[in-house]
Amino acid sequence: MSGGDFLELAAPGIDRLQPYVPGKPIEELERELGLAETLKLASNENPLGPSPLGLAAAREAIAGVHLYPDDNGFRLKGKLAGRLGVAPEQIILGAGSSDVIDMVARTFLAPGRNAVFSRYAFAMYPIYTTAAGAECREAPCLPPDHPRMPFGHDLEAMAAQVDDDTRVVFIANPNNPTGTWLKRDELHRFLSGLPGHLVVVLDEAYTEYVEAPEFPDGIQWLKEFPNLIVTRTFSKIYGLAGLRVGYGVASPELISTIGRVRHPFNVSVPALAAAEVALDDAGFLERSRRTNREGLAQLASAFDGMGLAHIPSVGNFVTFELPVDAAPVYDALLRKGVIVRPVANYGMPRHLRVTVGTREENDRFLQALREVLA
Ligand SMILES: *Cc1c(COP(=O)(O)O)cnc(C)c1O
């Protein structure tokens, strides 16, 4: 038996797959450069740490990890259902919301089918689509000089990409890495115009941060659109990224269909426990929201002062443009112990994305950036 050309053996699409590039871990930078006290503003994590209530619950739950978790997530689903005004049968839990997005892709995508998403949309959409052997249909986004939403999703362009073979449409609201968002009326109009032979993933990973009155809550549309699934996560504002827990909400029929491909016990014992009580940590959420609101303003005015264009963001991150190639700037920031996120893999070689930190962290990042650009 000879072999070894595993890419040739792999299922259709795997040879075209470009793996996800995560933000650089703090430990890796400290190991490589012998630095201490590094600052990571690269993965949209909560600078205030984990929800304290969630952390305490996870600590307590650790004592029970010789047992498998409740595969049905009864308590967390019950809590979420009450919060969101839906039935528990309308909820599926995931190891992060990306797990739920992957379930949708594995359920509905295959060779000969396609998924539609915007240029500069979240990088996991093409990965899950390609891994399922399906075609990626990337719609152009709004132009960089668009008066209201530069780099935003162009819903008309997205609708034009939909055909008989489309089975999934991905929308991130707000989107990462652009921080752009869609208003209630325009998104509702888009959903109303789509055919019924596809599923729409409305990815609301940052929804808890958004304070604009015209920002929609996709869960209110589930009765009207049985082929809509809204995904949310405990990784961002709840500060539980390392535990891996998120969820999807949709019609019971759609939830039970994607549940066929869910890995058993996909959410761990401490993750279930932490998520359940983090939902009640209203004080922490309010502090997180305020820190982010103030940090967004701090970064925007600093970028303006430095003459750097940035994309107006409602998330917990800002993508800004450099007058030069961003790669050497990213490297120089690393050597100063500051990790931000290159977005060249999104086709934005002159941009960098920075996560909103505490006031002090933002100051440290801005100081390092000024020194690098001087
Ligand atoms: C962070 C993020 C997610 C989900 O992350 P999980 O940790 O898997 O929940 C999903 N969508 C977008 C746009 C994100 O930025």
PDB file of all heavy atoms in Angstrom, residues 43-44 95-99 101 122 125 172 174-176 203 205-206 232-236 241 244-246, ligand 1:
ATOM      1  N   SER A  43      -8.461  39.400  19.525  1.00  0.00           N
ATOM      2  CA  SER A  43      -9.511  38.398  19.303  1.00  0.00           C
ATOM      3  C   SER A  43     -10.872  38.801  19.850  1.00  0.00           C
ATOM      4  O   SER A  43     -11.726  37.944  20.077  1.00  0.00           O
ATOM      5  CB  SER A  43      -9.085  37.047  19.882  1.00  0.00           C
ATOM      6  OG  SER A  43      -7.903  36.613  19.253  1.00  0.00           O
ATOM      7  N   ASN A  44     -11.057  40.100  20.075  1.00  0.00           N
ATOM      8  CA  ASN A  44     -12.352  40.625  20.523  1.00  0.00           C
ATOM      9  C   ASN A  44     -12.832  39.994  21.827  1.00  0.00           C
ATOM     10  O   ASN A  44     -14.027  39.767  22.033  1.00  0.00           O
ATOM     11  CB  ASN A  44     -13.403  40.484  19.407  1.00  0.00           C
ATOM     12  CG  ASN A  44     -12.964  41.195  18.144  1.00  0.00           C
ATOM     13  OD1 ASN A  44     -12.055  42.019  18.186  1.00  0.00           O
ATOM     14  ND2 ASN A  44     -13.589  40.891  17.039  1.00  0.00           N
ATOM     15  N   ALA A  95     -20.434  24.530  20.986  1.00  0.00           N
ATOM     16  CA  ALA A  95     -19.132  24.856  21.572  1.00  0.00           C
ATOM     17  C   ALA A  95     -18.678  26.164  20.927  1.00  0.00           C
ATOM     18  O   ALA A  95     -17.859  26.203  20.010  1.00  0.00           O
ATOM     19  CB  ALA A  95     -18.136  23.733  21.326  1.00  0.00           C
ATOM     20  N   GLY A  96     -19.266  27.249  21.371  1.00  0.00           N
ATOM     21  CA  GLY A  96     -19.151  28.530  20.681  1.00  0.00           C
ATOM     22  C   GLY A  96     -20.217  28.594  19.607  1.00  0.00           C
ATOM     23  O   GLY A  96     -20.745  27.558  19.168  1.00  0.00           O
ATOM     24  N   SER A  97     -20.564  29.817  19.178  1.00  0.00           N
ATOM     25  CA  SER A  97     -21.578  29.902  18.126  1.00  0.00           C
ATOM     26  C   SER A  97     -21.012  29.422  16.799  1.00  0.00           C
ATOM     27  O   SER A  97     -21.767  29.028  15.903  1.00  0.00           O
ATOM     28  CB  SER A  97     -22.133  31.323  18.009  1.00  0.00           C
ATOM     29  OG  SER A  97     -21.109  32.248  17.769  1.00  0.00           O
ATOM     30  N   SER A  98     -19.697  29.409  16.657  1.00  0.00           N
ATOM     31  CA  SER A  98     -19.138  28.906  15.393  1.00  0.00           C
ATOM     32  C   SER A  98     -19.474  27.427  15.213  1.00  0.00           C
ATOM     33  O   SER A  98     -19.634  26.961  14.080  1.00  0.00           O
ATOM     34  CB  SER A  98     -17.638  29.168  15.291  1.00  0.00           C
ATOM     35  OG  SER A  98     -16.988  28.954  16.499  1.00  0.00           O
ATOM     36  N   ASP A  99     -19.608  26.692  16.302  1.00  0.00           N
ATOM     37  CA  ASP A  99     -20.035  25.283  16.229  1.00  0.00           C
ATOM     38  C   ASP A  99     -21.436  25.187  15.614  1.00  0.00           C
ATOM     39  O   ASP A  99     -21.707  24.325  14.766  1.00  0.00           O
ATOM     40  CB  ASP A  99     -20.012  24.711  17.658  1.00  0.00           C
ATOM     41  CG  ASP A  99     -20.294  23.214  17.741  1.00  0.00           C
ATOM     42  OD1 ASP A  99     -20.064  22.495  16.753  1.00  0.00           O
ATOM     43  OD2 ASP A  99     -20.732  22.764  18.823  1.00  0.00           O
ATOM     44  N   ILE A 101     -22.852  27.440  13.621  1.00  0.00           N
ATOM     45  CA  ILE A 101     -22.753  27.850  12.216  1.00  0.00           C
ATOM     46  C   ILE A 101     -22.243  26.674  11.376  1.00  0.00           C
ATOM     47  O   ILE A 101     -22.741  26.398  10.281  1.00  0.00           O
ATOM     48  CB  ILE A 101     -21.840  29.094  12.089  1.00  0.00           C
ATOM     49  CG1 ILE A 101     -22.460  30.284  12.844  1.00  0.00           C
ATOM     50  CG2 ILE A 101     -21.597  29.446  10.621  1.00  0.00           C
ATOM     51  CD1 ILE A 101     -21.535  31.482  13.009  1.00  0.00           C
ATOM     52  N   PHE A 122     -17.290  37.617   8.112  1.00  0.00           N
ATOM     53  CA  PHE A 122     -16.546  36.779   9.059  1.00  0.00           C
ATOM     54  C   PHE A 122     -15.858  35.609   8.339  1.00  0.00           C
ATOM     55  O   PHE A 122     -16.490  34.906   7.536  1.00  0.00           O
ATOM     56  CB  PHE A 122     -17.528  36.255  10.110  1.00  0.00           C
ATOM     57  CG  PHE A 122     -16.900  35.483  11.232  1.00  0.00           C
ATOM     58  CD1 PHE A 122     -15.733  35.916  11.860  1.00  0.00           C
ATOM     59  CD2 PHE A 122     -17.496  34.312  11.695  1.00  0.00           C
ATOM     60  CE1 PHE A 122     -15.177  35.198  12.911  1.00  0.00           C
ATOM     61  CE2 PHE A 122     -16.957  33.597  12.747  1.00  0.00           C
ATOM     62  CZ  PHE A 122     -15.788  34.042  13.352  1.00  0.00           C
ATOM     63  N   TYR A 125     -17.108  31.767   7.485  1.00  0.00           N
ATOM     64  CA  TYR A 125     -18.149  31.361   6.516  1.00  0.00           C
ATOM     65  C   TYR A 125     -17.545  30.639   5.303  1.00  0.00           C
ATOM     66  O   TYR A 125     -18.015  29.562   4.948  1.00  0.00           O
ATOM     67  CB  TYR A 125     -19.003  32.562   6.069  1.00  0.00           C
ATOM     68  CG  TYR A 125     -19.612  33.388   7.186  1.00  0.00           C
ATOM     69  CD1 TYR A 125     -19.929  34.725   6.995  1.00  0.00           C
ATOM     70  CD2 TYR A 125     -19.863  32.830   8.442  1.00  0.00           C
ATOM     71  CE1 TYR A 125     -20.490  35.493   8.011  1.00  0.00           C
ATOM     72  CE2 TYR A 125     -20.416  33.596   9.460  1.00  0.00           C
ATOM     73  CZ  TYR A 125     -20.723  34.937   9.241  1.00  0.00           C
ATOM     74  OH  TYR A 125     -21.264  35.692  10.236  1.00  0.00           O
ATOM     75  N   ALA A 172     -23.608  38.689   9.036  1.00  0.00           N
ATOM     76  CA  ALA A 172     -23.100  39.018  10.367  1.00  0.00           C
ATOM     77  C   ALA A 172     -23.581  40.420  10.716  1.00  0.00           C
ATOM     78  O   ALA A 172     -23.319  41.370   9.970  1.00  0.00           O
ATOM     79  CB  ALA A 172     -21.581  38.952  10.393  1.00  0.00           C
ATOM     80  N   PRO A 174     -23.647  42.928  14.130  1.00  0.00           N
ATOM     81  CA  PRO A 174     -22.684  43.581  13.248  1.00  0.00           C
ATOM     82  C   PRO A 174     -21.662  42.592  12.712  1.00  0.00           C
ATOM     83  O   PRO A 174     -21.510  41.504  13.259  1.00  0.00           O
ATOM     84  CB  PRO A 174     -22.005  44.616  14.168  1.00  0.00           C
ATOM     85  CG  PRO A 174     -22.194  44.092  15.545  1.00  0.00           C
ATOM     86  CD  PRO A 174     -23.470  43.325  15.543  1.00  0.00           C
ATOM     87  N   ASN A 175     -20.977  43.022  11.656  1.00  0.00           N
ATOM     88  CA  ASN A 175     -19.993  42.150  11.026  1.00  0.00           C
ATOM     89  C   ASN A 175     -18.611  42.320  11.682  1.00  0.00           C
ATOM     90  O   ASN A 175     -18.259  43.386  12.153  1.00  0.00           O
ATOM     91  CB  ASN A 175     -19.904  42.483   9.538  1.00  0.00           C
ATOM     92  CG  ASN A 175     -18.932  41.583   8.811  1.00  0.00           C
ATOM     93  OD1 ASN A 175     -18.936  40.368   9.004  1.00  0.00           O
ATOM     94  ND2 ASN A 175     -18.069  42.156   7.986  1.00  0.00           N
ATOM     95  N   ASN A 176     -17.871  41.259  11.684  1.00  0.00           N
ATOM     96  CA  ASN A 176     -16.466  41.252  12.063  1.00  0.00           C
ATOM     97  C   ASN A 176     -15.696  40.862  10.806  1.00  0.00           C
ATOM     98  O   ASN A 176     -16.070  39.851  10.192  1.00  0.00           O
ATOM     99  CB  ASN A 176     -16.283  40.202  13.180  1.00  0.00           C
ATOM    100  CG  ASN A 176     -14.837  39.866  13.447  1.00  0.00           C
ATOM    101  OD1 ASN A 176     -13.943  40.612  13.123  1.00  0.00           O
ATOM    102  ND2 ASN A 176     -14.623  38.707  14.049  1.00  0.00           N
ATOM    103  N   ASP A 203     -25.847  36.043  12.211  1.00  0.00           N
ATOM    104  CA  ASP A 203     -24.802  35.879  13.227  1.00  0.00           C
ATOM    105  C   ASP A 203     -24.752  37.147  14.081  1.00  0.00           C
ATOM    106  O   ASP A 203     -24.305  38.198  13.624  1.00  0.00           O
ATOM    107  CB  ASP A 203     -23.491  35.622  12.476  1.00  0.00           C
ATOM    108  CG  ASP A 203     -22.277  35.485  13.381  1.00  0.00           C
ATOM    109  OD1 ASP A 203     -22.367  35.802  14.580  1.00  0.00           O
ATOM    110  OD2 ASP A 203     -21.219  35.069  12.857  1.00  0.00           O
ATOM    111  N   ALA A 205     -23.083  37.757  17.053  1.00  0.00           N
ATOM    112  CA  ALA A 205     -22.075  37.527  18.097  1.00  0.00           C
ATOM    113  C   ALA A 205     -21.832  38.761  18.984  1.00  0.00           C
ATOM    114  O   ALA A 205     -21.415  38.626  20.131  1.00  0.00           O
ATOM    115  CB  ALA A 205     -20.758  37.072  17.460  1.00  0.00           C
ATOM    116  N   TYR A 206     -22.091  39.952  18.432  1.00  0.00           N
ATOM    117  CA  TYR A 206     -21.787  41.191  19.175  1.00  0.00           C
ATOM    118  C   TYR A 206     -23.041  41.966  19.549  1.00  0.00           C
ATOM    119  O   TYR A 206     -22.961  43.132  19.913  1.00  0.00           O
ATOM    120  CB  TYR A 206     -20.858  42.087  18.339  1.00  0.00           C
ATOM    121  CG  TYR A 206     -19.563  41.400  17.991  1.00  0.00           C
ATOM    122  CD1 TYR A 206     -19.419  40.727  16.785  1.00  0.00           C
ATOM    123  CD2 TYR A 206     -18.499  41.385  18.889  1.00  0.00           C
ATOM    124  CE1 TYR A 206     -18.242  40.069  16.474  1.00  0.00           C
ATOM    125  CE2 TYR A 206     -17.324  40.726  18.593  1.00  0.00           C
ATOM    126  CZ  TYR A 206     -17.198  40.070  17.381  1.00  0.00           C
ATOM    127  OH  TYR A 206     -16.032  39.407  17.081  1.00  0.00           O
ATOM    128  N   ARG A 232     -25.825  33.358  18.614  1.00  0.00           N
ATOM    129  CA  ARG A 232     -25.234  34.265  19.617  1.00  0.00           C
ATOM    130  C   ARG A 232     -24.209  33.500  20.436  1.00  0.00           C
ATOM    131  O   ARG A 232     -24.141  32.277  20.369  1.00  0.00           O
ATOM    132  CB  ARG A 232     -26.326  34.835  20.526  1.00  0.00           C
ATOM    133  CG  ARG A 232     -27.270  35.749  19.763  1.00  0.00           C
ATOM    134  CD  ARG A 232     -28.231  36.461  20.683  1.00  0.00           C
ATOM    135  NE  ARG A 232     -29.139  37.308  19.920  1.00  0.00           N
ATOM    136  CZ  ARG A 232     -30.195  37.901  20.413  1.00  0.00           C
ATOM    137  NH1 ARG A 232     -30.513  37.740  21.694  1.00  0.00           N
ATOM    138  NH2 ARG A 232     -30.961  38.652  19.661  1.00  0.00           N
ATOM    139  N   THR A 233     -23.430  34.215  21.233  1.00  0.00           N
ATOM    140  CA  THR A 233     -22.301  33.570  21.894  1.00  0.00           C
ATOM    141  C   THR A 233     -22.051  34.118  23.300  1.00  0.00           C
ATOM    142  O   THR A 233     -22.405  35.264  23.590  1.00  0.00           O
ATOM    143  CB  THR A 233     -21.027  33.743  21.039  1.00  0.00           C
ATOM    144  OG1 THR A 233     -19.957  33.051  21.666  1.00  0.00           O
ATOM    145  CG2 THR A 233     -20.642  35.211  20.882  1.00  0.00           C
ATOM    146  N   PHE A 234     -21.441  33.293  24.129  1.00  0.00           N
ATOM    147  CA  PHE A 234     -20.950  33.736  25.436  1.00  0.00           C
ATOM    148  C   PHE A 234     -19.477  34.136  25.367  1.00  0.00           C
ATOM    149  O   PHE A 234     -18.869  34.452  26.379  1.00  0.00           O
ATOM    150  CB  PHE A 234     -21.164  32.629  26.483  1.00  0.00           C
ATOM    151  CG  PHE A 234     -22.605  32.428  26.824  1.00  0.00           C
ATOM    152  CD1 PHE A 234     -23.383  31.511  26.144  1.00  0.00           C
ATOM    153  CD2 PHE A 234     -23.206  33.204  27.813  1.00  0.00           C
ATOM    154  CE1 PHE A 234     -24.729  31.340  26.435  1.00  0.00           C
ATOM    155  CE2 PHE A 234     -24.558  33.056  28.120  1.00  0.00           C
ATOM    156  CZ  PHE A 234     -25.322  32.115  27.431  1.00  0.00           C
ATOM    157  N   SER A 235     -18.896  34.106  24.154  1.00  0.00           N
ATOM    158  CA  SER A 235     -17.456  34.386  24.011  1.00  0.00           C
ATOM    159  C   SER A 235     -17.124  35.864  24.092  1.00  0.00           C
ATOM    160  O   SER A 235     -16.001  36.226  24.413  1.00  0.00           O
ATOM    161  CB  SER A 235     -16.959  33.879  22.656  1.00  0.00           C
ATOM    162  OG  SER A 235     -17.106  32.493  22.543  1.00  0.00           O
ATOM    163  N   LYS A 236     -18.049  36.726  23.754  1.00  0.00           N
ATOM    164  CA  LYS A 236     -17.700  38.129  23.586  1.00  0.00           C
ATOM    165  C   LYS A 236     -18.059  38.900  24.856  1.00  0.00           C
ATOM    166  O   LYS A 236     -17.296  38.947  25.786  1.00  0.00           O
ATOM    167  CB  LYS A 236     -18.337  38.676  22.308  1.00  0.00           C
ATOM    168  CG  LYS A 236     -17.960  37.855  21.053  1.00  0.00           C
ATOM    169  CD  LYS A 236     -16.523  38.047  20.617  1.00  0.00           C
ATOM    170  CE  LYS A 236     -15.912  36.960  19.740  1.00  0.00           C
ATOM    171  NZ  LYS A 236     -16.555  36.650  18.485  1.00  0.00           N
ATOM    172  N   ALA A 241     -14.882  33.244  26.322  1.00  0.00           N
ATOM    173  CA  ALA A 241     -14.389  32.693  25.047  1.00  0.00           C
ATOM    174  C   ALA A 241     -13.658  31.362  25.239  1.00  0.00           C
ATOM    175  O   ALA A 241     -13.765  30.452  24.425  1.00  0.00           O
ATOM    176  CB  ALA A 241     -13.470  33.706  24.352  1.00  0.00           C
ATOM    177  N   ARG A 244     -15.925  28.048  25.483  1.00  0.00           N
ATOM    178  CA  ARG A 244     -16.586  27.616  24.251  1.00  0.00           C
ATOM    179  C   ARG A 244     -18.064  27.301  24.472  1.00  0.00           C
ATOM    180  O   ARG A 244     -18.452  26.156  24.670  1.00  0.00           O
ATOM    181  CB  ARG A 244     -15.880  26.386  23.612  1.00  0.00           C
ATOM    182  CG  ARG A 244     -14.370  26.458  23.504  1.00  0.00           C
ATOM    183  CD  ARG A 244     -13.883  27.654  22.702  1.00  0.00           C
ATOM    184  NE  ARG A 244     -14.422  27.687  21.361  1.00  0.00           N
ATOM    185  CZ  ARG A 244     -15.083  28.738  20.856  1.00  0.00           C
ATOM    186  NH1 ARG A 244     -15.269  29.840  21.588  1.00  0.00           N
ATOM    187  NH2 ARG A 244     -15.527  28.714  19.631  1.00  0.00           N
ATOM    188  N   VAL A 245     -18.887  28.326  24.464  1.00  0.00           N
ATOM    189  CA  VAL A 245     -20.330  28.093  24.521  1.00  0.00           C
ATOM    190  C   VAL A 245     -21.078  29.204  23.782  1.00  0.00           C
ATOM    191  O   VAL A 245     -20.780  30.388  23.928  1.00  0.00           O
ATOM    192  CB  VAL A 245     -20.846  27.885  25.977  1.00  0.00           C
ATOM    193  CG1 VAL A 245     -20.367  28.950  26.931  1.00  0.00           C
ATOM    194  CG2 VAL A 245     -22.362  27.750  26.035  1.00  0.00           C
ATOM    195  N   GLY A 246     -21.996  28.781  22.933  1.00  0.00           N
ATOM    196  CA  GLY A 246     -22.828  29.697  22.160  1.00  0.00           C
ATOM    197  C   GLY A 246     -24.125  28.979  21.842  1.00  0.00           C
ATOM    198  O   GLY A 246     -24.338  27.844  22.273  1.00  0.00           O
TER     199      GLY A 246
HETATM  200  C1  LIG B   1     -16.339  35.756  17.572  1.00  0.00           C
HETATM  201  C2  LIG B   1     -17.343  35.549  16.495  1.00  0.00           C
HETATM  202  C3  LIG B   1     -18.183  34.428  16.458  1.00  0.00           C
HETATM  203  C4  LIG B   1     -18.228  33.298  17.382  1.00  0.00           C
HETATM  204  O1  LIG B   1     -17.290  32.935  18.170  1.00  0.00           O
HETATM  205  P1  LIG B   1     -17.534  31.694  19.159  1.00  0.00           P
HETATM  206  O2  LIG B   1     -16.434  31.864  20.126  1.00  0.00           O
HETATM  207  O3  LIG B   1     -17.414  30.454  18.320  1.00  0.00           O
HETATM  208  O4  LIG B   1     -18.893  31.840  19.723  1.00  0.00           O
HETATM  209  C5  LIG B   1     -19.131  34.321  15.468  1.00  0.00           C
HETATM  210  N1  LIG B   1     -19.261  35.269  14.551  1.00  0.00           N
HETATM  211  C6  LIG B   1     -18.500  36.356  14.540  1.00  0.00           C
HETATM  212  C7  LIG B   1     -18.747  37.374  13.501  1.00  0.00           C
HETATM  213  C8  LIG B   1     -17.503  36.524  15.497  1.00  0.00           C
HETATM  214  O5  LIG B   1     -16.720  37.598  15.444  1.00  0.00           O
END
